[in-house]
Amino acid sequence: MKKCRVLSKECKDLTYESSFMWLHSQRTSTMVGYLLQCSKNFGYSWRHRLSSNFVSIANSGLEPKLIPKFLSFLPEPVQIVATVNEGLVLCSTRLHGENRFYICKPSTQQWEFIPAPNPRFYRSKISMLVLGSNPLRFKIVGLSDSIDDKHSESDSESDLDSEYSDKEVNHRVVSDENLWHCEIFDSKSWEWKQSEDLKLTYRDFFRKRQGVSACGGLHWLIFNKEQDKDIVLSFDGNKEEWTMASLPNSLRRKEYWDQIALVSCEGNLGLVNIDFKTKMVDVWVLNYEHIWIRKHTMNLIKERYLTRFHSFYGADTLLMKDMWSVYVYNFKTQKFDRVTADNQDIDAAYFIQTDFESVQLKPE
């Protein structure tokens, strides 16, 4: 499919149509869908049990189907940290107060331990990107806004990305300049290294969403309180450099009832803005000249399903979620499909498109 996408724009656009993705999955045994991080509380206790379920979409003819206990092949229960479209999943667990990390490919049930990063740093932002597939090479980027020696498990979980508080932030002020410690894991060397600190101001806030992997980089949405606007923060996976970009002029000042989110859209970095008053959705794509182009404008007429936008499944299909369900919406056919997770809360959803071929996760 990757080779088809470089033939022409027409071929590339075709490969992102949901109908094509379904045919391709049937003919090539490709796994396409969403990995759900779910939890179940025990009464009024703070304890909860984590589970990972997979919602298969293309494999079942666009009728979503839930596959429970998708990561049960790992040696212990884990929490999903990040995924990439190539089918790799980064997971973590906590043992004796320290985080342990796994990298795995669920379709082949392969997994490896990731060495522990510096225990002095508490990483509140962790994302992953793939730089090459043959041989496989990926990087993990961890950002920390403190150097406390210990954090409780409950503190760690409360700081994970959430979609329900779009303007809530995790932020600590260090004079006028807020330094975020940056650590990078490179699968080629199979070790972490300390990179230069990311320098932000004390008025810059990370939106509480997972970083988006697109175009060889990682991207986050930053809100600057002083200027009252959002900025795109990007990390170049090859150069290991940070850059910032503005939003489209029409979105630089948005109303409080709007929802805005970065997404991966047909291989590019995309931006979605939902006006909850008009039920209108604008989709923007950042082209190779770093210019925002409005790609879609659509009306979500089925407002009873208007929950939090999550991501694109394909060029014509959105995924939205609330605490108990995910919704697959094809805005061309206006068809909604709803999937629940067997009386569990759905904390996060991660898109996966992968084959069943074995990979060499760790270099020899």
Side-chain angles (χ1 to χ4, degrees):
M1 186 180 289
K2 290 182 179 180
K3 293 179 180 179
C4 290
R5 288 172 176 168
V6 299
L7 290 176
S8 66
K9 182 180 183 302
E10 291 75 15
C11 288
K12 177 184 176 182
D13 292 345
L14 178 64
T15 62
Y16 286 103
E17 294 289 336
S18 59
S19 57
F20 178 91
M21 294 172 69
W22 176 74
L23 288 173
H24 180 266
S25 69
Q26 299 300 307
R27 296 174 181 177
T28 61
S29 299
T30 302
M31 178 182 291
V32 185
Y34 284 86
L35 185 57
L36 306 182
Q37 178 72 78
C38 303
S39 62
K40 190 169 185 178
N41 296 321
F42 294 95
Y44 293 100
S45 171
W46 63 269
R47 295 177 302 169
H48 60 275
R49 182 175 59 212
L50 296 175
S51 65
S52 302
N53 305 308
F54 185 73
V55 175
S56 176
I57 299 178
N59 301 66
S60 52
L62 291 181
E63 294 293 335
K65 178 182 178 182
L66 187 71
I67 303 175
K69 299 180 180 179
F70 194 65
L71 298 179
S72 59
F73 63 90
L74 292 174
E76 56 188 325
V78 295
Q79 183 166 6
I80 303 167
V81 177
T83 66
V84 289
N85 290 357
E86 289 79 358
L88 301 184
V89 181
L90 178 66
C91 309
S92 71
T93 188
R94 203 166 175 85
L95 182 66
H96 305 306
E98 300 294 338
N99 284 329
R100 302 202 316 179
F101 292 92
Y102 296 89
I103 186 73
C104 67
K105 184 175 181 179
S107 60
T108 61
Q109 298 192 355
Q110 295 173 270
W111 61 270
E112 293 281 353
F113 280 115
I114 295 289
N118 191 330
R120 292 180 62 229
F121 299 130
Y122 166 62
R123 283 148 293 280
S124 58
K125 299 290 176 184
I126 301 179
S127 293
M128 176 173 59
L129 75 160
V130 170
L131 297 177
S133 56
N134 189 21
L136 176 65
R137 187 183 181 191
F138 60 89
K139 288 185 179 180
I140 304 168
V141 178
L143 292 174
S144 169
D145 61 348
S146 71
I147 53 174
D148 295 340
D149 290 335
K150 298 291 181 181
H151 286 265
S152 68
E153 185 172 2
S154 59
D155 288 340
S156 174
E157 291 172 353
S158 66
D159 282 346
L160 293 175
D161 288 341
S162 170
E163 298 172 321
Y164 299 107
S165 301
D166 201 29
K167 281 209 171 186
E168 290 182 11
V169 293
N170 296 321
H171 172 71
R172 298 175 188 223
V173 176
V174 182
S175 68
D176 290 337
E177 193 174 69
N178 191 19
L179 299 180
W180 287 75
H181 304 286
C182 178
E183 296 172 282
I184 302 172
F185 177 85
D186 191 335
S187 66
K188 185 176 181 179
S189 61
W190 207 254
E191 62 182 8
W192 293 88
K193 69 176 181 179
Q194 180 73 35
S195 182
E196 292 186 8
D197 289 345
L198 170 62
K199 297 178 181 179
L200 300 176
T201 72
Y202 68 94
R203 295 188 179 274
D204 290 322
F205 302 91
F206 277 92
R207 295 286 189 185
K208 279 198 164 186
R209 289 181 66 96
Q210 180 69 26
V212 174
S213 175
C215 303
L218 293 168
H219 313 272
W220 292 264
L221 206 55
I222 301 288
F223 177 72
N224 184 282
K225 187 176 181 180
E226 183 177 24
Q227 301 178 22
D228 191 28
K229 69 176 185 179
D230 288 287
I231 302 170
V232 178
L233 173 69
S234 299
F235 173 82
D236 188 300
N238 288 305
K239 299 179 181 178
E240 297 186 356
E241 296 177 349
W242 297 92
T243 58
M244 289 189 178
S246 299
L247 268 61
N249 291 334
S250 61
L251 299 182
R252 291 185 180 178
R253 284 186 175 274
K254 70 185 190 70
E255 303 295 338
Y256 75 93
W257 50 76
D258 288 3
Q259 181 194 356
I260 192 168
L262 291 179
V263 294
S264 177
C265 182
E266 301 179 32
N268 298 314
L269 179 64
L271 180 71
V272 172
N273 182 72
I274 299 180
D275 188 326
F276 282 91
K277 291 180 65 177
T278 64
K279 307 298 186 291
M280 297 300 296
V281 179
D282 287 327
V283 182
W284 301 75
V285 172
L286 190 65
N287 67 13
Y288 292 104
E289 298 176 346
H290 297 282
I291 299 174
W292 289 104
I293 306 296
R294 194 196 306 262
K295 190 173 182 66
H296 300 293
T297 296
M298 57 193 121
N299 187 4
L300 295 180
I301 60 174
K302 303 237 179 180
E303 59 183 88
R304 67 180 182 274
Y305 289 108
L306 188 58
T307 57
R308 279 308 207 190
F309 170 87
H310 185 273
S311 60
F312 277 94
Y313 161 71
D316 53 5
T317 307
L318 309 178
L319 183 93
M320 291 181 282
K321 67 176 289 294
D322 55 28
M323 186 173 292
W324 302 280
S325 307
V326 292
Y327 306 89
V328 181
Y329 174 49
N330 187 304
F331 54 82
K332 288 187 177 180
T333 64
Q334 297 183 358
K335 179 184 178 183
F336 263 99
D337 285 302
R338 177 174 178 261
V339 180
T340 59
D342 298 332
N343 298 319
Q344 299 180 86
D345 295 344
I346 300 177
D347 301 323
Y350 302 87
F351 178 73
I352 288 181
Q353 183 174 12
T354 183
D355 55 35
F356 288 84
E357 296 182 7
S358 299
V359 295
Q360 186 172 329
L361 295 172
K362 183 178 180 180
E364 296 179 351

